[in-house]
Amino acid sequence: MSPLKEPPNSESTRHLALVLIILVGCSVLGLVAWEAVTSRQQALDAAQVTVSNLSRSLTQHADDTVGEAETVLSELVERVHNDGVTGPQHERLHLVLKQTTAALDQLHGLFIYSSDGRWLVTSNDVDPPNANNSDREYFLWHRSHPGPAVHIGAVIVSRSTGELIIPVSRRLDNADGSFGGVVLATLKVDYFKKFYDGFDLDEQGAIVLALGDGTILMRRPYDPKVIGTSIAKGVIYSQMLPHASTGARMVVSVVDGVNRMIAYRASSVYPLLILAAQPESAIFAGWRANLLRSGVLVALVFAVLGAFAVLLMRQIRHNQRTEADLLLAHASLQQMAMQDGLTGLANRRQLDLALPQEIGRTVRTGRPLGLIMLDIDHFKRFNDLYGHPAGDACIRDVGRAVQGCVGRAGDLVARYGGEELLVLLPESDAPGTWRVAQRIVEAVQALAIKHAGSEHGVVTVSAGLHVWTATNPIPTAEALIAAADVALYAAKHGGRNQVFPTLDEPIRVRPQVF
């Protein structure tokens, strides 16, 4: 016996199967890549929202903290102007300053200086002997800047306690408007440190409180060497802040070189800027873990695809796949032969086979058989107005609408010819058939397909129905269709976009010839 020859198309089939497997693999890979890119952007967007919200909250905190100090200073200025600082008022002022400092956690101390820098009244229990602050930056600033403006200075070391403090000060004027001294509130740098440490940030997450000129007042992670340095040459101050008072972007820090998502916000009240930052490593930590899991999954998928490819090639070599493809192709051809090419509905051939079978079923069961003949109103005008491609699209849309109105397995919607459709409804009595026809008329009108040539302004259909029961003589298929067609003519003659006969009148249309 000669060896079995391989079918001539098996090689191309193997190639096609291999291409399909490769396409599947590439699709999986592409999907994972798309997901990776999308999730990375989502992680970046989420980080931007997080740090932007954090910077907004921290800016409000800074404004409130300095605002409380400003309120205290305003009250002190008014007291000094009204009551002075000598005699009994000196002791009262000392108690007020001491009590106020104790009441506000952020305050390190309160001080009143004379025009030559001497300490007049303070919140300290004991002041350094012969202390003088005329050399301080804030003192020099107020001496040369008349007016009630609040001044926030760079971090300095307290001369009474040695702590790092942020000076917030106001000018005192004499009665003639000349320089009379300074009132000072000092804020604890440690207060901001403890507050910022309370946020759940990555080790490399950063919070910066800086002056408008870029001088750092406080930074988390805390490093005393960084306090007082400037970030004015960084991207935020040099490129972004001149154009917008708030913003966010990935930036390499000028302090430690770490790439972070940084959100900044300038205070609208004080010359302060808040920066909140999340490091790139923390932003993408979850994304990288998911990417690793996806990579393992893709490797497994490709392993399975490879095994499947081997098995598939063996199956094709034994010609079993080819036979299955032929059977499938044959079944597909049979289905195509029963379908209308334009609408995908049943065609005349399928209708011609189905209608005699349903007549026989009606005879056996005694159940009624309903038919609905449909016609698109003024379809010739529609084609003339919009062209045949639009007409074809209209028929397809109407066909889908009709198909959507019949839900039973045995119901059949067929394109009878041109713009005419026939609906076959086994075991459907007159009221049931009428309801289906009415739904169809309403569904087509609801499509709202513009039709300037119709009195309704949109595409509509007319429906003629006929119901046959086994109590009447057995008709031919042509006679049933003719009866439904007569009813359709009556519906169109009666004004279109309607069903004939209606439910409130008996169905008188019957086939004339059996």
Side-chain angles (χ1 to χ4, degrees), residues 149-365:
V150 172
H151 179 71
I152 303 173
V155 173
I156 57 177
V157 177
S158 170
R159 285 175 173 163
S160 55
T161 65
E163 298 177 63
L164 292 179
I165 55 174
I166 301 172
V168 179
S169 55
R170 273 194 59 173
R171 172 180 168 128
L172 280 173
D173 286 330
N174 295 318
D176 61 359
S178 62
F179 179 63
V182 172
V183 289
L184 172 70
T186 55
L187 306 180
K188 302 172 187 174
V189 171
D190 190 59
Y191 167 79
F192 288 97
K193 177 181 180 298
K194 290 177 180 178
F195 183 74
Y196 294 166
D197 286 344
F199 288 91
D200 185 15
L201 293 178
D202 181 84
E203 290 183 358
Q204 289 188 323
I207 298 174
V208 176
L209 172 64
L211 291 174
D213 62 2
T215 302
I216 295 177
L217 301 178
M218 173 59 200
R219 183 180 186 274
R220 174 192 170 171
Y222 180 72
D223 182 357
K225 296 178 181 177
V226 174
I227 304 300
T229 61
S230 176
I231 54 174
K233 294 183 179 179
V235 173
I236 299 297
Y237 274 87
S238 62
Q239 299 180 20
M240 301 177 67
L241 187 58
H243 304 288
S245 62
T246 181
R249 65 184 281 186
M250 291 295 290
V251 174
V252 177
S253 171
V254 295
V255 176
D256 55 16
V258 176
N259 192 28
R260 295 182 176 91
M261 169 62 73
I262 296 181
Y264 72 91
R265 180 173 290 270
S267 169
S268 59
V269 184
Y270 303 106
L272 296 173
L273 188 79
I274 288 288
L275 293 90
Q278 191 172 0
E280 182 184 33
S281 58
I283 294 173
F284 297 126
W287 172 77
R288 291 190 179 98
N290 289 333
L291 187 62
L292 179 59
R293 287 192 290 269
S294 298
V296 173
L297 180 61
V298 169
L300 291 175
V301 169
F302 273 94
V304 172
L305 282 176
F308 176 74
V310 172
L311 293 175
L312 185 60
M313 294 302 108
R314 290 177 181 175
Q315 194 75 359
I316 292 175
R317 290 189 185 97
H318 288 86
N319 207 27
Q320 296 175 356
R321 187 72 178 185
T322 303
E323 183 179 357
D325 289 342
L326 288 175
L327 291 174
L328 181 61
H330 180 67
S332 298
L333 287 174
Q334 284 186 325
Q335 184 179 9
M336 291 174 61
M338 294 293 184
Q339 285 185 340
D340 175 62
L342 176 62
T343 63
L345 302 174
N347 58 14
R348 282 288 295 273
R349 180 179 179 185
Q350 187 173 350
L351 178 64
D352 292 340
L353 292 174
L355 188 51
Q357 292 176 356
E358 296 303 334
I359 293 174
R361 188 199 306 272
T362 300
V363 173
R364 292 192 303 273
T365 64

Side-chain angles (χ1 to χ4, degrees), residues 359-434:
I359 293 174
R361 188 199 306 272
T362 300
V363 173
R364 292 192 303 273
T365 64
R367 302 289 296 164
L369 174 63
L371 289 88
I372 304 172
M373 180 68 80
L374 301 164
D375 183 74
I376 300 176
D377 297 327
H378 303 301
F379 187 73
K380 183 178 183 305
R381 295 182 190 174
F382 186 94
N383 272 339
D384 292 342
L385 285 170
Y386 304 105
H388 289 284
D392 289 346
C394 175
I395 293 174
R396 282 194 297 269
D397 291 341
V398 170
R400 281 194 291 268
V402 174
Q403 186 70 57
C405 293
V406 295
R408 301 181 306 169
D411 297 342
L412 180 70
V413 180
R415 185 182 180 194
Y416 189 72
E419 69 274 19
E420 289 185 330
L421 304 176
L422 184 68
V423 181
L424 195 60
L425 301 173
E427 300 186 7
S428 178
D429 58 11
T433 303
W434 185 90

